């Protein structure tokens, strides 16, 4: 409801799904506290920047945005600016924000965003700056409200932080040590979502395979999935991100045996050279990685496998890179997110010698993307004339006369529906007529809204 005189807030979000979900939570909490959300920057009284640190580029974009807000604040001193998320947890950025960006009123962390109303009050009442970064002993916030962006699928955080310390990665420094949410709390959250009509949940954690290690009892990620699979009304369970080192047989068996856990494996490879994998501190070899993906392909035929790859890690030679290309051609990923290595101060890799020049990184990235796009297209083409199960997410953004959804394997499908029927949230069967690299196009076969998940159609 529109509240008179309510302060309007705008949230800018960078980064991963975890950040997007944190922003959904901040929005719901602020709305509960009488603030009003706006997507129009020009009318905002409060700006909240939810930042990402994983690569320099993302960090710079947030800092650039902050630069523009400086002029705005000079014209309107009442404006409140809050910067949270990963970047302020990075000492380099923190120092910048504290010393060089006096127009920032609130600097907060990745685990205390639920205290924003309190921070805003402090700024408004005491007119003082709030610096509230996370300590390791920060208590988990418990059940929090969230304004879910979609009406069909919802994010659910299952754990915070990361203990892995891959040598290139800043996340363990910005998001702290691993802490799992209690199983009962996650169960309750997912149950409530399903009761509200959400069909899919995406379980979030930096390394979901570590789920439960810090909890009492014999709970682990596989057991969590098996529990959530029983929740009525829910059709699909996804998760992000898993670590190939910790992806054990129990988990593969559980995914094969459950009905709702989707047959999509996102397994960040990062590099295909054993020497580089070791320098990255990844804890597996290329042989182990191939073994794992073979096991998945055998146990769950039709499963899709996607990955993250970094090119230009310090010391990466042409031969190392060719090992990556070779592995990509061996595993034949359905898709890959590819990145140029970005040095992050404070991580071991940033101090390593033989940093790779950016021209070489760009060249390797282009070659990798070419190889992967060809494979993605070839794999998608295999689906032509096949029937796939699609959860409809809504109208296609590019063509509102069409519908858009995803297969269980996480491929985007666009199709024409019947007139005057709202298919949002329904599970439909689609015959694929034309497969492209990023999208599959098809025609509607059947609508099977009541079916929770299909055991035959595993695509
Ligand atoms: N440079 C480039 N890419 C990175 N990633 C993480 N840290 C870096 C970095 N310093 C990538 C990894 C990870 C994904 C989320 O981002 O591939 O899986
Ligand atoms: Fe970073 Fe490695 Fe943790 Fe992923 S597993 S967040 S890459 S340290």
């Amino acid at each position: 409801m529109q509240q008179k005189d309510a302060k309007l807030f705008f949230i800018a979000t960078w980064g991963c799904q975890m950040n997007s979900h944190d922003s959904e939570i901040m929005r719901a909490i602020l709305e509960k506290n009488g603030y009003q959300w706006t997507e129009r920057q020009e009318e905002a009284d409060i700006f909240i920047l939810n930042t990402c640190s994983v690569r320099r580029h993302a960090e710079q974009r947030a800092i650039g945005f902050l630069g523009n807000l400086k002029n705005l604040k000079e014209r309107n001193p009442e404006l409140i600016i809050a910067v949270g998320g990963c970047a302020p947890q990075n000492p380099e950025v923190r120092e910048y924000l504290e010393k060089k960006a006096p127009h920032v009123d609130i600097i907060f962390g990745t685990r205390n965003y639920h205290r924003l109303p309190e921070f805003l009050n402090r700024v408004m009442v005491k007119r003082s700056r709030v610096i509230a970064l996370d300590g390791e002993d920060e208590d988990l916030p418990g059940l929090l409200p969230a304004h879910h962006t979609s009406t069909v699928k919802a994010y659910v955080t299952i754990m915070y932080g990361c203990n892995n310390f891959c040598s290139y990665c800043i996340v363990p420094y910005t998001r702290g040590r691993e802490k799992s949410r209690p199983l009962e709390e996650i169960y309750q959250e997912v149950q409530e979502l399903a009761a509200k009509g959400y069909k899919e949940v995406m379980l979030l954690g930096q390394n979901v395979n570590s789920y439960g290690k810090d909890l009492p009892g014999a709970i682990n990620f596989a057991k969590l999935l098996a529990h959530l699979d029983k929740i009525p009304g829910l059709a699909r369970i996804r998760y992000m991100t898993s670590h190939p080192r910790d992806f054990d047989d129990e988990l593969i068996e559980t995914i094969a045996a459950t009905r709702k856990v989707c047959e999509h494996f996102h397994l960040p490879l990062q590099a295909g050279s054993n020497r580089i994998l070791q320098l990255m501190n990844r804890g597996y070899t290329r042989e182990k990685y191939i073994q794992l993906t073979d096991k998945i392909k055998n146990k769950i035929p039709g499963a899709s496998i996607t990955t993250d790859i970094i090119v230009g890690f310090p010391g990466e030679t042409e031969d190392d890179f060719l090992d990556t290309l070779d592995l990509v051609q061996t595993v034949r990923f359905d898709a890959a997110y590819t990145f140029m290595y970005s040095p992050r101060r404070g991580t071991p890799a940033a101090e390593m010698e033989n940093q790779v020049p950016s021209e070489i990184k760009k060249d390797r990235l282009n070659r990798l993307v070419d190889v992967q796009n060809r494979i993605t297209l070839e794999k998608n083409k295999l689906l032509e004339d096949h029937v796939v199960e699609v959860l409809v997410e809504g109208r296609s953004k590019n063509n509102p006369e069409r519908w858009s959804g995803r297969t269980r394997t996480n491929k985007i499908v666009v199709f024409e529906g019947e007139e005057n029927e709202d298919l949002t949230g329904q599970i439909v069967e689609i015959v694929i007529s034309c497969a492209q690299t990023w999208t599959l196009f098809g025609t509607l076969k059947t609508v099977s809204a009541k079916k929770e998940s299909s055991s035959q159609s595993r695509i």
Side-chain angles (χ1 to χ4, degrees), residues 162-375:
C162 180
N163 289 356
N164 280 314
F165 290 96
C166 301
S167 63
Y168 51 81
C169 188
I170 200 166
V171 169
Y173 308 90
T174 59
R175 286 197 172 257
R177 294 296 66 72
E178 288 171 0
K179 264 194 185 179
S180 307
R181 291 179 66 198
L183 185 135
E184 303 73 36
E185 197 179 285
I186 298 170
Y187 192 91
Q188 188 186 335
E189 188 169 328
V190 176
Q191 208 172 26
E192 282 171 11
L193 287 166
K196 281 186 193 149
Y198 289 92
K199 290 281 175 290
E200 177 179 308
V201 289
M202 164 76 91
L203 308 176
L204 298 176
Q206 251 69 41
N207 176 14
V208 292
N209 301 84
S210 290
Y211 176 76
K213 281 187 186 160
D214 56 323
L215 293 176
I219 186 71
N220 63 16
F221 185 55
K223 293 192 174 71
L224 173 71
L225 289 180
H227 269 86
L228 299 180
D229 193 57
K230 296 190 198 110
I231 293 179
L234 197 66
R236 293 180 173 186
I237 301 172
R238 301 187 187 278
Y239 51 90
M240 186 76 111
T241 293
S242 39
H243 196 302
R245 182 198 56 209
D246 303 326
F247 216 101
D248 58 18
D249 290 353
E250 182 191 359
L251 186 52
I252 300 174
E253 303 284 346
T254 305
I255 294 170
T258 46
R259 279 159 52 84
K260 297 174 185 177
V261 184
C262 290
E263 298 77 27
H264 169 217
F265 294 78
H266 183 70
L267 294 166
L269 165 69
Q270 313 301 7
S273 142
N274 282 339
R275 200 178 67 82
I276 298 295
L277 283 171
Q278 193 168 19
L279 287 171
M280 286 179 161
N281 192 28
R282 288 293 287 174
Y284 54 84
T285 58
R286 58 182 278 129
E287 291 76 18
K288 280 256 176 246
Y289 189 92
I290 294 171
Q291 223 175 47
L292 171 64
T293 50
D294 280 346
K295 213 183 285 178
I296 291 169
K297 288 176 191 168
N298 288 332
K299 276 264 165 215
I300 308 176
S304 67
I305 303 179
T306 58
T307 199
D308 293 346
I309 298 173
I310 298 175
V311 298
F313 183 84
E316 184 188 73
T317 62
E318 175 65 14
D319 277 352
D320 291 320
F321 174 65
L322 290 177
D323 279 350
T324 299
L325 279 189
D326 180 72
L327 208 147
V328 164
Q329 281 158 313
T330 305
V331 176
R332 291 181 63 79
F333 294 106
D334 288 81
Y337 298 90
T338 50
F339 309 102
M340 285 188 277
Y341 168 69
S342 168
R344 308 284 48 222
R345 203 198 280 178
T347 62
E351 306 300 318
M352 289 179 187
E353 285 173 7
N354 302 325
Q355 296 284 328
V356 175
S358 95
E359 288 316 304
I360 295 184
K361 286 187 204 171
K362 277 188 201 146
D363 174 63
R364 290 182 186 162
L365 188 77
N366 289 337
R367 286 155 66 199
L368 175 61
V369 168
D370 282 349
V371 170
Q372 181 53 52
N373 284 353
R374 182 176 49 74
I375 296 172

Side-chain angles (χ1 to χ4, degrees), residues 5 23 68 78 84 98 160 186 328 333 343 364 379 387 404:
D5 300 331
S23 291
N68 297 338
E78 295 294 306
E98 282 188 24
Y160 299 84
I186 298 170
V328 164
F333 294 106
R364 290 182 186 162
K379 294 204 79 170
V387 177
S404 171

Side-chain angles (χ1 to χ4, degrees), residues 9 11 21-33 35-38 48 116 145-149:
F9 66 94
I11 307 184
H21 184 46
D22 291 349
S23 291
E24 293 178 340
I25 294 175
M26 284 192 258
R27 174 171 170 183
I29 289 178
L30 289 178
E31 284 175 338
K32 279 201 160 179
N33 279 271
Y35 296 93
Q36 198 181 315
W37 181 76
T38 178
I48 298 157
L116 257 184
H147 180 101
H148 298 284
T149 315

Side-chain angles (χ1 to χ4, degrees), residues 3 35 49 63 72 86 108 134 197 203 249 256 267-268 297 304 339 356 396 403 432 442:
Q3 260 179 295
Y35 296 93
L49 280 58
I63 289 175
L72 216 57
C86 283
F108 63 106
D134 304 339
L203 308 176
D249 290 353
L267 294 166
K297 288 176 191 168
S304 67
F339 309 102
V356 175
S396 158
W403 295 94
I432 300 302

Side-chain angles (χ1 to χ4, degrees), residues 49-102:
L49 280 58
N50 191 6
T51 61
C52 169
S53 265
V54 81
R55 282 170 292 276
R56 192 180 132 80
H57 182 66
E59 214 168 65
Q60 288 307 113
R61 278 171 55 207
I63 289 175
F65 191 93
L66 202 54
N68 297 338
L69 292 183
K70 196 171 173 183
N71 303 331
L72 216 57
K73 181 132 179 171
E74 272 161 17
R75 276 182 270 135
N76 174 13
E78 295 294 306
L79 200 72
I80 298 180
I81 301 173
V83 181
C86 283
Q89 297 280 141
N90 171 359
E92 205 180 345
V93 179
R94 176 189 177 153
E95 196 181 317
Y96 167 83
L97 292 173
E98 282 188 24
K99 301 207 175 120
K100 306 252 168 67

